[in-house]
């Protein structure tokens, strides 16, 4: 019998705890060796983790423009040369085809496949992009005096929501912005803005503070992740979310996009 | 008889003074109407000014990567859609073909022509890029308590130097970094770093502080601009310079690049 979700959550966190002080390279090597197919939450806490997007070269300039125009959901960290699977600046020696625990493949905007490597589908015209991830700021927030509402989900994280905010389009790329919500004690709101604004590569400061309905969000119905936390007397604060490109793939009907699996990130060599 | 340089310098500053509090749009309209072909130094002080680079679409993705990898010399502000001459986010309604006082045209890396508009040479495959300019931080520094060495040049600015620092390459684009030097009183060095670091779009904090010879610079021999200021007991502090892409054009032998004329910038609608 598989353990109850709360029990499983604690076990998972324990398993991740072992790699808390690992380097980015160590996590990538673990994935490359086929020894880790799980979420990277809480691992290599001192290193930036990143969302992955792989697109055909034909879309590369447009996606660069998209990231530049939408830095809150898509803070660009590094770009590969076309056909070269290495993120040469953020993670020298890396191989994007093997160094993540799991991948999603989207075709015509639909998620069609989940894989643990992409060796057989990587092509010479593929370009890889990594954009910053909220896990990186989490490490700093954990040590801070910011008071959050209780988080009881197995993943230890709150839900992500497709909002009514349109991203700034770029060529053929357009879509609604995805935001992560966290409940913040009123007396901590200014502080959490100050702290997260210092980390633009981890989505920076919030996109919205206070009224979910103004951005088309029903807190009880996240599009990703369970929301079993408490908002109650806490202020809902929303940060850019790296799932946004998946929504862009769907809304723009992109022929092909490969990404990391949600929460299964590329861990860089960049220290926070 | 034309006036001596120092006299001419004062007249020029007077002429610019009139537009000190103009908006970016007003300066662009002045240029578009053919009423201004001079430097934009000191004009529209509350708005970001920008370096311009126009390249064929074939180079657009590589230049985006180049800017992303070299944010100190090339802090990217906005990019046009291919063939569309409007910077739609930084300056709605702008027309890159007419809205600058003067342009340089480079072919095979050599400066071959200076123009006051580019209406007849703009093509459907052209993409425009604007990157931040040091003029924007100057306005803030002028009001600050930072003590600079004396500046006696006609332009009121110190020289720019091609350094021995190689930019991070991107595809076919490579070249040495150009830096601006300013003499800063030793007691002001930390302060000038603090202030300029707040303005990443105006080149941000310095790239080098202290030893010009370590970056291949002879202060007496600037590559652009005269240096008749005093370094003496002042610390030489170097910031990224928007002339860098012209050096990239030369070193990478780019078939075609159009830029602003030095110090004749694109003035945006973005407030500092």
């Amino acid at each position: 019998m598989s353990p109850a979700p709360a029990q499983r959550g604690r076990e998972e966190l324990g398993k991740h705890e072992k790699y808390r002080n690992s380097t980015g390279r160590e996590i990538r090597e673990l994935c490359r060796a086929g020894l880790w197919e799980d979420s990277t939450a809480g691992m290599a806490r001192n290193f930036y983790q990143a969302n992955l997007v792989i697109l055909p070269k034909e879309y590369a300039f447009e996606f660069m423009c998209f990231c530049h125009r939408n830095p809150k959901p898509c803070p660009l960290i590094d770009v590969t040369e076309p056909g070269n699977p290495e993120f040469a600046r953020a993670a020298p020696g890396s191989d994007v085809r093997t160094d993540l625990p799991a991948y999603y493949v989207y075709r015509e905007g639909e998620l069609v496949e989940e894989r643990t490597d992409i060796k057989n589908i990587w092509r010479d015209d593929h370009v890889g992009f990594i954009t910053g991830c909220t896990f990186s700021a989490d490490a700093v927030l954990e040590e801070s005096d910011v008071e959050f509402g209780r988080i009881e989900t197995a993943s230890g994280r709150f839900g992500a929501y497709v909002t009514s905010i349109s991203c700034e389009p770029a060529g053929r790329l357009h879509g609604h912005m995805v935001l992560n919500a966290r409940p913040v004690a009123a007396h901590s709101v200014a502080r959490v803005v100050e702290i997260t604004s210092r980390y633009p590569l981890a989505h920076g400061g919030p996109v919205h503070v206070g009224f979910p309905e103004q951005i088309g969000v029903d807190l009880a119905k996240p599009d990703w992740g369970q929301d079993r936390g408490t908002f109650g007397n806490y202020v809902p604060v929303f940060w850019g979310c790296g799932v946004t490109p998946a929504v862009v793939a769907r809304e723009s009907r992109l022929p092909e996009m490969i990404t990391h699996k949600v929460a299964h990130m590329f861990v860089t060599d960049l220290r926070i």
Side-chain angles (χ1 to χ4, degrees), chain A residues 136-151:
Chain A
S136 313
D138 288 353
V140 178
L141 289 172
E142 253 179 38
E143 308 293 325
S144 77
D145 53 359
V146 170
E147 184 192 334
F148 290 104
R150 270 200 309 156
I151 298 180

Side-chain angles (χ1 to χ4, degrees), chain A residues 8 12 36-41 49-54 96 99-106 111 113-118 133 135 157 224 242-243 246 257-266:
Chain A
R8 195 161 61 85
E12 301 250 325
W36 190 268
E37 298 179 358
D38 215 325
S39 145
T40 53
Q49 299 202 16
N51 301 278
L52 171 70
V53 167
I54 295 171
V96 70
D99 289 5
L100 288 83
Y103 302 79
Y104 284 159
V105 181
Y106 296 85
L111 176 59
E113 195 185 359
E114 184 181 324
R115 308 175 64 105
T116 54
D117 73 66
I118 54 166
C133 158
F135 286 176
R157 307 188 60 236
W224 284 272
V243 175
M257 180 187 276
I258 303 169
T259 73
H260 64 289
K261 177 180 173 180
V262 173
H264 296 59
M265 317 306 284
F266 180 87

Side-chain angles (χ1 to χ4, degrees), chain A residues 13-42:
Chain A
L13 288 174
K15 188 168 124 190
H16 289 70
E17 185 67 26
K18 181 177 161 194
Y19 297 101
R20 186 183 176 84
N21 297 316
S22 300
T23 64
R25 178 182 293 264
E26 285 163 355
I27 304 301
R28 297 197 305 273
E29 285 172 352
L30 209 58
C31 297
R32 194 182 303 180
L35 299 172
W36 190 268
E37 298 179 358
D38 215 325
S39 145
T40 53

Side-chain angles (χ1 to χ4, degrees), chain A residues 184 189-190 192-193 205-212 214-215 235-239:
Chain A
V184 179
V189 170
V192 83
V193 172
V207 173
H208 183 93
V209 178
F211 289 102
Q214 290 183 4
I215 54 170
V235 179
V237 181
F238 294 86
W239 281 269

Side-chain angles (χ1 to χ4, degrees), chain A residues 3-272:
Chain A
Q7 167 70 12
R8 195 161 61 85
R10 277 190 293 274
E11 279 171 17
E12 301 250 325
L13 288 174
K15 188 168 124 190
H16 289 70
E17 185 67 26
K18 181 177 161 194
Y19 297 101
R20 186 183 176 84
N21 297 316
S22 300
T23 64
R25 178 182 293 264
E26 285 163 355
I27 304 301
R28 297 197 305 273
E29 285 172 352
L30 209 58
C31 297
R32 194 182 303 180
L35 299 172
W36 190 268
E37 298 179 358
D38 215 325
S39 145
T40 53
M43 300 170 89
R45 296 297 265 179
N46 295 318
F47 294 84
Y48 274 99
Q49 299 202 16
N51 301 278
L52 171 70
V53 167
I54 295 171
L55 285 168
K57 182 167 187 269
E58 191 214 334
Y59 284 90
F61 172 59
E62 282 156 284
F63 191 69
M64 282 290 280
C65 288
F66 186 85
C67 292
H68 185 254
R69 292 172 195 173
N70 299 283
K72 285 295 175 84
C74 300
L76 189 62
I77 293 180
D78 201 0
V79 185
T80 70
E81 300 295 325
N84 183 340
E86 181 189 16
F87 286 104
R89 286 147 298 276
S94 63
D95 188 332
V96 70
R97 300 169 298 186
T98 53
D99 289 5
L100 288 83
Y103 302 79
Y104 284 159
V105 181
Y106 296 85
R107 299 204 187 277
E108 303 300 331
E110 301 301 325
L111 176 59
V112 294
E113 195 185 359
E114 184 181 324
R115 308 175 64 105
T116 54
D117 73 66
I118 54 166
K119 280 186 281 193
N120 296 332
I121 58 171
W122 172 264
R123 295 193 312 268
D124 276 354
D125 74 326
H126 274 147
V127 180
F129 301 85
I130 45 176
T131 63
C133 158
T134 189
F135 286 176
S136 313
D138 288 353
V140 178
L141 289 172
E142 253 179 38
E143 308 293 325
S144 77
D145 53 359
V146 170
E147 184 192 334
F148 290 104
R150 270 200 309 156
I151 298 180
E152 289 180 350
T153 63
S155 67
R157 307 188 60 236
F158 274 81
Y161 302 84
V162 181
T163 67
S164 58
I165 301 170
S166 291
C167 291
E168 186 73 29
R172 292 165 287 183
L173 307 183
H174 57 88
H176 286 88
M177 196 180 294
V178 181
L179 299 179
N180 280 302
R182 300 187 77 165
V184 179
H187 67 85
S188 286
V189 170
R191 186 80 183 122
V192 83
V193 172
E194 285 173 354
I195 294 175
T196 54
S197 295
R198 286 180 201 143
Y199 301 92
L201 288 184
H203 299 297
V207 173
H208 183 93
V209 178
F211 289 102
E213 63 276 18
Q214 290 183 4
I215 54 170
V217 166
D218 176 350
L219 286 175
K221 295 176 184 162
D223 294 282
W224 284 272
Q226 319 99 309
D227 178 6
R228 292 203 304 269
T230 306
F231 278 81
N233 282 327
Y234 292 86
V235 179
V237 181
F238 294 86
W239 281 269
C241 177
V243 175
T244 301
V247 172
V248 169
R250 187 171 69 211
E251 296 189 20
S252 311
R253 303 292 302 170
L254 292 189
E256 179 191 42
M257 180 187 276
I258 303 169
T259 73
H260 64 289
K261 177 180 173 180
V262 173
H264 296 59
M265 317 306 284
F266 180 87
V267 190
T268 74
D269 288 355
L270 304 178
R271 285 187 178 266
I272 291 168

